[in-house]
Amino acid sequence: MMRMLRPIMAMILSLAFTICARGATPPKIGEKAPDFTLQTLEDKSVKLNELTAKQKVVLVVLRGWPGYQCPLCTQQVRDFIGAAEDFAKAKARVLMVYPGPADKLKAHAQEFLKNAEWPKEFSFVTDPDFTMINAYGLRWDAKAETAYPSTFILDRKGVVRFAKISKGHGGRSQAAEVVKAAAAIEEE
């Protein structure tokens, strides 16, 4: 009898370990977003809680570098850049996160941004080795994937007021819907 239970127990323990190893879950509306510090392409540190202390933050997680430049990420970034004045009127800073393996991530990020007119209210940071992505439970751990495309709006206390996570390539937040949601958040 005990011999039959051992494989079952081993399977249960393995499943429990897998579930625990997954770690974090994405922050939900009403929860405080985990703080992080990432680097810009100019090697300047950007600390999330320092940004939220000043104003609302629209946090956009791109797929980054899954082995190629994602055309849907490019389209989403252009959409957000085109709405830069609207984000400024909504008193929201946009922070875009470009995740990927550390090897050559900065070069890939620079390539991604070429020909982009970057608004002053926007920040672009890289997440080498998925530190922030893992802390937010957004790791898309499949071949040729990096992170689930996601958008969060954080108020000045760092609390999530809007969250949209795409579990596929499409279904991403559009700038117009995010601007509308950001404008509706009252300043404290």
Side-chain angles (χ1 to χ4, degrees), residues 36-102:
F36 60 82
T37 303
L38 294 172
Q39 303 292 312
T40 66
L41 296 179
E42 296 78 29
D43 295 319
K44 293 180 182 170
S45 291
V46 174
K47 190 166 177 65
L48 181 64
N49 71 4
E50 290 177 4
L51 293 180
T52 57
K54 296 175 187 173
Q55 67 189 112
K56 294 174 270 190
V57 172
V58 173
L59 175 62
V60 180
V61 176
L62 303 167
R63 283 183 60 229
W65 180 253
Y68 60 93
Q69 298 296 358
C70 171
L72 294 175
C73 291
T74 302
Q75 181 181 348
Q76 184 181 29
V77 168
R78 286 187 181 141
D79 180 41
F80 275 66
I81 289 173
E85 286 182 28
D86 298 325
F87 282 111
K89 288 177 190 170
K91 298 179 182 165
R93 177 161 201 87
V94 176
L95 175 61
M96 295 197 175
V97 179
Y98 187 90

